[in-house]
Amino acid sequence: MRIFILVARIGNLTKAGVELGMSQSAISRYLSTLEKRAGGYLFQRHGRGVSLSELGQRIYPVVEKVLADLGTLSEIVSEEAERLSGLVRIGTLPSLSRDIFVPLFFLMQKDFPGVRLKIQEGSGGQIDNWLLTQQIDIGLPYRNNNESQYADESIIQMQSYLVGPIGDKLTRGSTIPFKKMHQIPLILPSKPSAVRMKLDELARKEKIHLNVVLDADSGLMQKCISEQQGGYTVLPWHAIKQEVENRQIQAARIVEPEIARNISIVVNNNPSKATRTVSRIIRSLFDKSRIHQ
């Protein structure tokens, strides 16, 4: 439609192509497509160039109005993006910071500078508590089932790994049966962590004892103690990928049964427009991220 308006004003396909940076043949193809949709010729060709046909004269003001309305719509959308403002408080698992929330910060700075983010890290249990007490607007806790008082949405599912020090026999293979965790020293998140409760439930079912020597909600602490042979921990792959590749720790995927956990996005009740926008962007960042399941 923009090409149609420009050609009608200039009256010459070659000159219109120069202004648009397009070849005359490309201009002709676009006009031919528009003519097919309009059901007739829009231009009359003559020695000096082209002029509007009778049909072209009839649709010219209509097309002009459509383009003007589109321009107004674009301005409204741009102004709305500029006006979008407010504080959005987010509770996240520490392992997501590098892949999700650092990119989120830069994206929001670029596209929605009026929105201010407050990001705090915690365990799944802490995040649920922050949501319950309305200390955050968006939470990203682990979920092992669909039971939640919020309308949460599973974003990504991950398998769990038993993490140990380099050279450890138990975690040397690619997988390890859950029953092998009987009596070994474990560093796990404290209750009511969804992961901890899932492990306890499986232990009762499999009739084994989980020997928890330290309750630690810090993933960094869990990994450091495992690295220094203080015990084992259970983490998803994206939380240990860098350390495993750097040969600081080693890990085996837990099987028989596998322990899957979901990261969900939970938006608190009555979210602001800024909160809804940020949650939508977080979902898109997960879609584009390289977090391994």
Side-chain angles (χ1 to χ4, degrees), residues 58-257:
R58 290 210 315 270
I59 75 165
Y60 182 90
V62 178
V63 172
E64 221 176 15
K65 184 178 185 306
V66 169
L67 291 177
D69 290 344
L70 285 173
T72 302
L73 179 61
S74 296
E75 289 175 8
I76 291 171
V77 171
S78 298
E79 288 172 5
E80 189 64 25
E82 290 175 6
R83 283 203 299 265
L84 194 67
S85 61
L87 174 66
V88 179
R89 305 163 301 167
I90 304 169
T92 178
L93 301 161
S95 55
L96 299 177
S97 295
R98 181 179 54 195
D99 293 307
I100 302 299
F101 289 98
V102 170
L104 175 68
F105 166 76
F106 286 106
L107 195 151
M108 296 302 295
Q109 287 281 297
K110 176 177 175 289
D111 293 341
F112 301 99
V115 176
R116 189 162 63 90
L117 300 176
K118 178 183 178 183
I119 300 174
Q120 54 195 77
E121 297 178 341
S123 67
Q126 286 175 313
I127 294 169
D128 278 326
N129 184 58
W130 294 336
L131 284 164
L132 187 64
T133 55
Q134 298 187 353
Q135 295 179 56
I136 56 176
D137 305 299
I138 301 172
L140 286 96
Y142 285 126
R143 284 279 185 265
N144 291 317
N145 50 50
N146 295 323
E147 294 178 5
S148 173
Q149 67 183 92
Y150 303 97
D152 48 332
E153 173 185 325
S154 177
I155 295 179
I156 190 171
Q157 186 179 78
M158 297 163 295
Q159 299 301 323
S160 298
Y161 288 73
L162 184 67
V163 180
I166 291 294
D168 171 61
K169 293 181 180 179
L170 203 57
T171 55
R172 183 180 297 168
S174 59
T175 61
I176 180 172
F178 178 72
K179 285 187 175 182
K180 293 284 187 181
M181 293 172 58
H182 178 63
Q183 292 288 13
I184 65 173
L186 290 169
I187 302 97
L188 295 178
S190 56
K191 298 176 183 178
S193 157
V195 175
R196 174 69 177 274
M197 293 171 73
K198 179 67 174 179
L199 290 170
D200 287 346
E201 178 189 336
L202 284 174
R204 287 192 296 271
K205 190 178 294 185
E206 298 294 328
K207 295 181 172 54
I208 68 169
H209 173 67
L210 297 182
N211 177 27
V212 181
V213 296
L214 177 65
D215 293 292
D217 292 326
S218 165
L220 177 61
M221 182 177 293
Q222 293 169 20
K223 288 184 285 188
C224 286
I225 292 175
S226 294
E227 181 183 353
Q228 297 177 46
Q229 303 181 24
Y232 299 85
T233 192
V234 177
L235 290 167
W237 179 251
H238 77 272
I240 58 174
K241 178 178 180 291
Q242 188 172 13
E243 290 86 350
V244 170
E245 291 177 347
N246 292 340
R247 291 191 56 76
Q248 296 170 254
I249 54 177
Q250 63 187 40
R253 183 165 54 87
I254 300 170
V255 295
E256 300 174 17

Side-chain angles (χ1 to χ4, degrees), residues 239-278:
I240 58 174
K241 178 178 180 291
Q242 188 172 13
E243 290 86 350
V244 170
E245 291 177 347
N246 292 340
R247 291 191 56 76
Q248 296 170 254
I249 54 177
Q250 63 187 40
R253 183 165 54 87
I254 300 170
V255 295
E256 300 174 17
E258 293 184 333
I259 303 174
R261 51 177 122 184
N262 299 319
I263 293 177
S264 293
I265 183 165
V266 184
V267 179
N268 227 328
N269 298 326
N270 301 315
S272 67
K273 187 169 184 179
T275 297
R276 293 196 302 272
T277 299
V278 171

